[in-house]
Amino acid sequence: HCGSPGELPWLGSCAAQLVSSLTHLLSRFSPSRLTGKEALTQFPSLGAPGGSGPGQGHVKQCELLQLSRKQRRLCRREPGLAETLRDAIRLGVLECQFQFRSERWNCSLEGRPSLLKRGFKETAFLYAVSSAALTHSLARACSAGRMERCTCDDSPGLENRKAWQWGVCGDNLKYSTKFLKKFLGQKRIGKDLRAKVDIHNTNVGIKAVKNGLKTTCKCHGVSGSCAVRTCWKQLSPFHEIGRLLKLRYDDAVKVFSTTNDAVGHSELAGPHRHGHSGKQPALPRPTDLVYVEDSPSFCRPSKYSLGTAGRTCSREGNCDSMCCGRGYNTQSRLVTFSCHCQVQWCCYVECQQCMQEEVVYSCKQ
Amino acid sequence: MAGAIIENMSTRKLCIVGGILLVLQVIAFLVGGLIAPSPTTAVPYMSVKCIDVRKNHHKAKWLMPWGPNHCKKLKDFDEAVSRQIEANDIVFAVHIPLPSKEMSPWFQFMLFIMQLDIAFKMDNDLKENAEITLDVSLAYRDDMFDDWEEIAHAIEIRKLKCTFGSPKTVESEGRHYDCDFLPFMEIGSVAHKYYLINIRLPVNDRKGINVGIGEIKDIRLVGIHQNGGFTKVWFAMKTFLTPSILIIMVWYWRRITLMTRAPVLLEKVIFALGISMTFINIPVEWFSIGFDWTWMLLFGDIRQGIFYAMLLSFWIIFCGEHMMDQNERNRLSGYWKQVGPIAVGSFCLFIFDMCERGVQLKNPFYSIWTTEVGTELAMAFIIVAGICLCLYFLFLCFMVFQVFRNISGKQSSLPAMSKARRLHYEGLIFRFKFMMLITLACAAMTVIFFIVSQVTEGHWKWGDITIQVNSAFFTGIYGMWNLYVFALMFLYAPSHKNYGEDQSNGDLGVNSGEELQLTTTITHVDGPTEVYKLARKEAQE
């Protein structure tokens, strides 16, 4: 598996493999007609989380995921990891589809494996969103008590319990990024350009989660004064991170490989920036998504996507661009939908059925 | 018998004492900065949505979020809709602490705040001034296989204060509201190993309970406790400081009783300051390790309050007694204008604290801020206390200003005075200025460190060494005020030396009668006639 380039020649390291396996995984279980949300229900034994006890259940789940030997070992050792990985996949896919719902490429599961083998902007986004989802899910799983070895693991020189009682355990996010880096085996930096690009984009995803942290404080001194104050960091909703990554996708930087004579190994290099003097090409910033190939148009069915034929679009908005100039069909139809809903927390919805004539625009063949 | 030790001490000795105190001060900072971890830890907990499968809700049953007997879980509420699970059957469960950890009495206290993740939905919008009703219960156990024992159960109402950053359109469905965190629970002792919180959000359409609270996605708690390491360092410090202050106090009082005259007000106040410092210092917290004393938090507040009130009173009286004017003081009642606000202010804060932490002894979920009336009441107490504090500082500043004005007046006439009188006033001025200097230095240090600890990250790194700024702040400032009280009692204790002892006879002999009067001016025991005499003499000079 991981580390044997014969099998997956385009991967330089394991880092990319996990992220891609996360994304591959979905594509394996998705019949072509399904949308992302439905695809999720196709997972084996996904339905009842926690239904499988702490015993052998998670081991089986670890087998189902495409993992390297080392990753599988970690997965077996940590009972909650398999479930967290699945959460991460789900979170990443849903967010990707939400962010790209009105683009030519709609983050569909079809064509994803081929897409991941290239170095498009879309590939960059996929890597970033997957790793961000993984970081986010790990941190969440830690605070839900789903993982056993969270924060106190990385305190040096002290036994786990002692570290907790003394009070030197780190926070969940620090742990989860550290764990993630170990899990992805990022220490070995791949030699080829695309592997480096993938690692870079994976790190962009992790950073996006880190930058999205909000610090909140609580005062609890004498009579509630701020003489004693405790602060903690709080994950922002994953939607925010998805939005941020989408913006990064829009401003993604095309890179090529240069050999830095001083250091002796090659590194990523972006285009010359304005105002950047000297002949040395600018390094991409750690927050930039990078890509190496120009994207296909995604207009026609290809191995990367199904094309935009038949996709619905909004006439004022994106029909021209989505339909690639082929024009669109206008169809008027009567739709029934739920209306005047009485919704309550939780789990109580009472709606009336309303009928409305709706004009649907869809791209021509 | 005249003057305090500080006046009669040589500069060299004074420097030595100052140096020793400075070294101790640095040690106090370093103990917190290098040995102790950060003072508190915040642990985020994500509640697990459990399904209560029992039909009747009467019998208390505890639902565990994880572990061997964990509950049936819900992934999200879409699932609940499709499975037709009612709101009343959903329990948000949080186990404290997280897996493979244990709570410990060294954590001293636990307080929890609650954060709600509420998603925006067009047809289930959050109402203005929505209130959420929580049915909360707390249980403990000391062994993984014991049954849960209930500690408290309450139905609490909390106000939701949420804002939504985006326009409320279909496009932004699913985005979260930005909600203020809610106070959830406060416990003054951590006597058990495991705690379990079960939260229900009962829905009652007719009574309008939990209607219009939006689409709640998750309930998160953040648990804050004191770090065991910090507690240990803190206890060690207290245990060390108690005897030191106690010894100097005994020494100080012995010196006073050795004198022929009765102790004056200033001396009594300094002694009282020593007592209140000792009261804070006495490490009764050691008992919290063995006993489940939830009132420890409240007790700590009271002790601190007494010390602050004492310190503020001391400053006022110190200024007053060094006024060098012809008013008779030496009685506490002479300071009612200045001490009054302190008393009123501390009393207000005491009542407020009793309303908050006092009630929490009975119901840990209680918070005075959750109800309209409570908030207004609390604000009223705090505002009155604030006004009193401002009033106090105005008085204090005015008094300091007066003292300085008198000092400058005296200084201009110093050369013309007789030696004994000059020495007396010089002593007074020096004592006052010295006191002013160290008080200002201590206050400035407190303020600076407070600001630094508020704005910085919590720890600084220099290479391998990590300095916990917040812990250093606590131990350093605590040590500093202890040293302050210590120095005060040492330096302002009455001196055995006479003015004349280290002087050649000079013209003192002539003025022996005058000297007697002078000492009485410091102590003000002899009533206005002496003062009047002195004033007349001064006028003659």
Side-chain angles (χ1 to χ4, degrees):
Chain A
H1 262 88
C2 179
S4 58
E7 201 167 331
L8 297 162
W10 50 276
L11 279 171
S13 78
C14 304
Q17 190 176 343
L18 175 85
V19 180
S20 69
S21 78
L22 290 175
T23 36
H24 271 303
L25 188 72
L26 266 176
S27 58
R28 279 205 311 190
F29 293 112
S30 59
S32 55
R33 62 190 167 80
L34 292 174
T35 66
K37 205 164 185 173
E38 285 158 324
L40 295 167
T41 59
Q42 300 289 310
F43 275 107
S45 74
L46 252 188
S52 51
Q56 292 301 303
H58 76 273
V59 176
K60 218 179 277 170
Q61 286 173 23
C62 289
E63 302 297 325
L64 280 171
L65 297 163
Q66 282 190 348
L67 300 173
S68 71
R69 199 174 298 131
K70 184 182 158 206
Q71 287 166 352
R72 193 169 298 152
R73 202 175 58 234
L74 281 169
C75 180
R76 280 203 205 104
R77 213 177 64 182
E78 180 61 81
L81 188 59
E83 195 188 329
T84 309
L85 290 177
R86 277 182 347 223
D87 274 357
I89 299 163
R90 187 184 137 106
L91 194 66
V93 167
L94 289 183
E95 190 55 39
C96 178
Q97 293 185 340
F98 177 76
Q99 294 297 340
F100 283 85
R101 64 198 180 279
S102 49
E103 305 276 324
R104 281 183 195 167
W105 177 68
N106 65 348
C107 198
S108 67
L109 301 167
E110 295 81 19
R112 203 176 264 220
S114 346
L115 202 59
L116 283 169
K117 287 178 197 162
R118 306 297 295 267
F120 304 137
K121 264 167 110 169
E122 286 72 21
T123 321
F125 184 83
L126 278 176
Y127 274 93
V129 83
S130 301
S131 67
L134 203 50
T135 317
H136 190 89
S137 302
L138 270 171
R140 265 180 76 106
C142 276
S143 54
R146 222 184 302 148
M147 306 263 289
E148 271 180 20
R149 271 175 257 268
C150 276
T151 51
C152 291
D153 240 21
D154 49 353
S155 46
L158 274 172
E159 190 199 327
N160 203 328
R161 184 163 295 175
K162 278 203 186 119
W164 158 251
Q165 299 228 324
W166 186 260
V168 284
C169 295
D171 61 36
N172 287 336
L173 196 87
K174 212 184 267 170
Y175 166 80
S176 69
T177 40
K178 207 168 167 181
F179 177 85
L180 195 62
K181 290 210 166 143
K182 189 168 115 193
F183 193 72
L184 299 177
Q186 276 200 350
K187 291 215 172 103
R188 242 179 34 192
I189 291 176
K191 283 195 185 92
D192 86 20
L193 176 63
R194 199 140 54 210
K196 252 180 285 179
V197 164
D198 291 343
I199 289 174
H200 178 94
N201 291 330
T202 308
N203 288 337
V204 170
I206 297 173
K207 273 216 180 66
V209 178
K210 267 192 185 166
N211 292 344
L213 288 176
K214 264 191 300 186
T215 304
T216 318
C217 295
K218 159 92 179 161
C219 292
H220 51 96
V222 182
S223 302
S225 67
C226 277
V228 190
R229 201 178 63 149
T230 306
C231 297
W232 64 94
K233 290 194 173 104
Q234 189 189 322
L235 289 173
S236 48
F238 198 65
H239 261 328
E240 309 288 322
I241 295 157
R243 229 167 30 150
L244 184 77
L245 287 177
K246 178 70 190 336
L247 292 176
R248 301 264 161 82
Y249 162 86
D250 292 334
D251 299 331
V253 178
K254 187 170 183 179
V255 291
F256 49 90
S257 184
T258 56
T259 307
N260 189 333
D261 296 328
V263 190
H265 61 72
S266 60
E267 52 188 30
L268 297 179
H272 295 273
R273 287 218 189 92
H274 292 290
H276 206 282
S277 56
K279 278 172 187 166
Q280 197 72 21
L283 291 172
R285 281 173 302 190
T287 50
D288 283 334
L289 282 178
V290 296
Y291 63 101
V292 281
E293 293 173 273
D294 288 320
S295 302
S297 70
F298 296 106
C299 283
R300 294 279 171 195
S302 65
K303 60 178 178 173
Y304 305 119
S305 77
L306 292 176
T308 61
R311 294 262 310 273
T312 54
C313 56
S314 72
R315 197 170 64 134
E316 295 82 21
N318 59 352
C319 274
D320 287 339
S321 96
M322 190 189 278
C323 303
C324 310
R326 299 186 304 259
Y328 49 86
N329 295 320
T330 311
Q331 193 184 13
S332 152
R333 64 182 181 196
L334 221 52
V335 285
T336 53
F337 64 100
S338 308
C339 59
H340 307 298
C341 286
Q342 292 262 310
V343 186
Q344 262 176 20
W345 191 92
C346 141
C347 328
Y348 169 79
V349 188
E350 199 179 71
C351 294
Q352 292 173 1
Q353 293 291 313
C354 297
M355 296 268 263
Q356 198 183 23
E357 196 171 347
E358 197 181 67
V359 186
V360 178
Y361 304 96
S362 56
C363 291
K364 281 182 180 164
Q365 281 290 330
Chain B
M1 267 311 301
I5 286 182
I6 182 172
E7 293 163 54
N8 296 332
M9 223 172 170
S10 66
T11 318
R12 206 174 65 92
K13 277 184 190 162
L14 200 63
C15 285
I16 291 172
V17 171
I20 291 170
L21 292 181
L22 204 67
V23 168
L24 288 173
Q25 176 63 73
V26 170
I27 289 173
F29 273 115
L30 290 184
V31 162
L34 297 178
I35 300 174
S38 62
T40 51
T41 298
V43 186
Y45 296 97
M46 178 71 73
S47 66
V48 170
K49 293 160 221 123
C50 289
I51 309 164
D52 191 355
V53 287
R54 295 163 309 127
K55 283 282 166 273
N56 59 334
H57 302 281
H58 301 299
K59 221 180 87 197
K61 191 204 163 194
W62 300 96
L63 293 168
M64 290 271 294
W66 42 260
N69 294 315
H70 67 78
C71 61
K72 291 225 176 327
K73 294 179 203 171
L74 265 183
K75 189 116 205 131
D76 50 37
F77 292 113
D78 294 338
E79 190 188 330
V81 173
S82 61
R83 286 170 63 180
Q84 296 194 320
I85 294 164
E86 282 178 42
N88 297 342
D89 289 330
I90 297 173
V91 177
F92 294 86
V94 174
H95 185 282
I96 299 149
L98 292 169
S100 72
K101 296 188 182 107
E102 283 175 7
M103 298 309 272
S104 125
W106 292 100
F107 292 166
Q108 296 288 295
F109 66 86
M110 280 196 299
L111 56 95
F112 285 84
I113 58 130
M114 179 190 242
Q115 288 175 309
L116 296 168
D117 288 345
I118 304 178
F120 171 70
K121 243 188 166 179
M122 286 297 276
D123 49 10
N124 188 11
D125 195 5
L126 186 64
K127 280 198 190 122
E128 284 282 313
N129 299 323
E131 287 185 331
I132 186 167
T133 307
L134 308 160
D135 177 330
V136 282
S137 37
L138 174 72
Y140 76 89
R141 70 180 178 188
D142 285 309
D143 190 284
M144 266 299 186
F145 303 100
D146 279 355
D147 284 333
W148 290 103
E149 298 283 337
E150 183 173 289
I151 298 175
H153 174 246
I155 294 184
E156 290 292 322
I157 296 173
R158 299 275 192 270
K159 260 207 193 71
L160 296 178
K161 287 192 199 87
C162 298
T163 51
F164 194 60
S166 335
K168 290 188 173 180
T169 54
V170 186
E171 276 295 289
S172 43
E173 266 196 359
R175 296 189 61 180
H176 286 196
Y177 284 92
D178 194 9
C179 293
D180 288 356
F181 62 74
L182 308 167
F184 183 67
M185 185 177 86
E186 221 170 305
I187 305 184
S189 70
V190 189
H192 305 288
K193 282 183 182 163
Y194 310 106
Y195 291 87
L196 179 69
I197 297 174
N198 275 188
I199 308 168
R200 287 164 214 264
L201 304 178
V203 176
N204 192 323
D205 220 353
R206 264 173 297 149
K207 290 183 188 160
I209 293 172
N210 283 339
V211 175
I213 52 171
E215 176 143 317
I216 292 180
K217 288 278 186 200
D218 271 308
I219 293 182
R220 284 174 295 143
L221 297 181
V222 179
I224 296 171
H225 62 253
Q226 189 165 312
N227 282 326
F230 182 78
T231 311
K232 281 173 189 167
V233 169
W234 193 247
F235 282 14
M237 221 175 143
K238 282 189 147 191
T239 316
F240 171 74
L241 284 170
T242 308
S244 348
I245 295 285
L246 212 61
I247 286 166
I248 195 86
M249 236 168 75
V250 170
W251 174 85
Y252 173 79
W253 197 242
R254 223 178 62 85
R255 280 227 152 188
I256 286 175
T257 48
L258 275 179
M259 288 189 312
T260 46
R261 60 173 173 79
V264 293
L265 178 65
L266 188 60
E267 285 162 347
K268 284 187 214 159
V269 169
I270 290 179
F271 188 64
L273 191 65
I275 292 176
S276 62
M277 192 80 243
T278 313
F279 191 43
I280 286 198
N281 283 345
I282 290 176
V284 282
E285 285 92 341
W286 281 111
F287 288 109
S288 69
I289 304 304
F291 300 94
D292 186 8
W293 286 354
T294 43
W295 45 268
M296 218 42 139
L297 213 56
L298 182 67
F299 186 57
D301 280 6
I302 292 171
R303 290 197 294 175
Q304 281 191 49
I306 290 173
F307 175 70
Y308 292 143
M310 212 53 239
L311 190 65
L312 296 180
S313 312
F314 163 72
W315 285 341
I316 279 287
I317 289 165
F318 190 86
C319 283
E321 296 296 294
H322 287 78
M323 197 61 100
M324 291 178 277
D325 57 5
Q326 277 67 56
N327 286 339
E328 165 62 11
R329 289 196 181 76
N330 199 27
R331 277 177 295 114
L332 195 62
S333 54
Y335 294 98
W336 68 269
K337 252 192 298 182
Q338 291 87 3
V339 177
I342 304 172
V344 173
S346 349
F347 184 71
C348 279
L349 286 180
F350 173 70
I351 297 289
F352 166 72
D353 221 53
M354 283 306 280
C355 289
E356 174 89 355
R357 286 192 170 155
V359 178
Q360 275 165 0
L361 296 181
K362 272 262 163 271
N363 175 11
F365 304 106
Y366 177 83
S367 169
I368 194 168
W369 299 103
T370 51
T371 57
E372 201 82 50
V373 182
T375 308
E376 276 168 19
L377 207 67
M379 278 318 279
F381 281 134
I382 288 171
I383 288 168
V384 170
I387 290 171
C388 286
L389 200 70
C390 290
L391 217 60
Y392 164 81
F393 271 107
L394 282 179
F395 277 129
L396 185 66
C397 290
F398 181 62
M399 275 184 113
V400 170
F401 165 74
Q402 273 183 320
V403 174
F404 270 111
R405 202 187 50 196
N406 290 349
I407 283 177
S408 61
K410 282 276 152 15
Q411 260 169 345
S412 59
S413 57
L414 269 183
M417 290 180 187
S418 68
K419 189 160 190 186
R421 185 189 296 277
R422 203 180 70 226
L423 281 173
H424 160 59
Y425 279 122
E426 275 176 350
L428 272 185
I429 291 168
F430 175 65
R431 267 183 359 183
F432 182 78
K433 282 194 169 163
F434 184 80
M435 175 69 196
M436 223 20 224
L437 199 75
I438 57 167
T439 305
L440 276 183
C442 286
M445 281 273 271
T446 308
V447 171
I448 289 167
F449 261 83
F450 179 71
I451 293 171
V452 167
S453 71
Q454 297 278 307
V455 294
T456 53
E457 267 285 287
H459 55 82
W460 292 339
K461 269 201 172 144
W462 276 313
D464 283 346
I465 305 164
T466 313
I467 293 184
Q468 293 291 342
V469 182
N470 285 335
S471 295
F473 164 71
F474 286 121
T475 56
I477 296 302
Y478 180 57
M480 189 180 76
W481 288 108
N482 263 289
L483 292 174
Y484 179 85
V485 172
F486 183 92
L488 215 63
M489 280 199 285
F490 177 66
L491 295 175
Y492 287 73
S495 167
H496 288 315
K497 282 185 191 169
N498 205 311
Y499 272 135
E501 268 178 28
D502 51 346
Q503 311 286 331
S504 58
N505 271 342
D507 54 356
L508 273 177
V510 194
N511 289 326
S512 58
E514 190 185 79
E515 199 200 346
L516 209 146
Q517 287 163 9
L518 280 171
T519 49
T520 55
T521 342
I522 315 167
T523 56
H524 294 289
V525 283
D526 280 336
T529 50
E530 298 294 327
V531 177
Y532 171 71
K533 259 192 255 170
L534 189 80
R536 207 182 49 197
K537 271 190 184 154
E538 204 174 292
Q540 284 165 4
E541 280 176 20

